[in-house]
Amino acid sequence: QVQLVESGGGLVQPGGSLSLSCTASGRTFSTYTMGWFRQAPGKEREFVAALWWSGGIAYYAYYADSVKGRFTMSRDNAKSTVYLQMNSLKPEDAAVYYCAAGRPPTAGWSLKGNYDYWGQGTQVTVSS
């Protein structure tokens, strides 16, 4: 069982930056692919970024086209924590951001059904 707790959401002006964190419980954190998803009001939950665990020692980063070049995901296995650094934020980035853990198959990192554990979400508001 893995429990995930997100933090770092808040209000930011367009063009600004925000950093989210997600800390996991459990002793096998390093063997999970970690993902960030977001859900805006009235919309489906959508993929943002993932650090996919290949089964070895490497993690591969994948990003939604809408955030590529602006968002960066990283992880610190010693702290069982993943981060999402969000720069050049736009009003359309506003949403509840969720952290997720799972073991998706190759090329399955963007599908929310491939993640087993979810955090409670943290609100990101982008407004002037």
Side-chain angles (χ1 to χ4, degrees):
Q1 191 78 2
V2 177
Q3 293 184 323
L4 304 172
V5 178
E6 302 102 333
S7 61
L11 171 65
V12 63
Q13 293 186 341
S17 298
L18 207 58
S19 181
L20 305 182
S21 299
C22 171
T23 299
S25 65
R27 295 177 291 178
T28 57
F29 174 78
S30 64
T31 66
Y32 281 94
T33 289
M34 299 300 295
W36 285 98
F37 290 75
R38 67 187 182 188
Q39 188 167 16
K43 294 188 175 182
E44 292 287 322
R45 191 171 299 188
E46 65 175 5
F47 170 74
V48 175
L51 283 175
W52 181 66
W53 181 58
S54 64
I57 61 172
Y59 300 92
Y60 298 92
Y62 297 95
Y63 298 93
D65 288 343
S66 59
V67 307
K68 205 171 292 183
R70 300 187 298 120
F71 289 13
T72 302
M73 184 176 179
S74 60
R75 66 189 295 163
D76 185 340
N77 287 341
K79 296 182 179 180
S80 297
T81 300
V82 293
Y83 307 93
L84 185 67
Q85 177 64 40
M86 304 184 293
N87 299 327
S88 303
L89 282 160
K90 305 175 181 180
E92 52 264 41
D93 293 318
V96 177
Y97 282 70
Y98 296 90
C99 173
R103 295 193 173 106
T106 304
W109 48 80
S110 66
L111 301 178
K112 54 184 181 291
N114 284 331
Y115 291 82
D116 301 307
Y117 305 102
W118 292 83
Q120 81 288 352
T122 185
Q123 177 71 50
V124 172
T125 303
V126 184
S127 175
S128 54

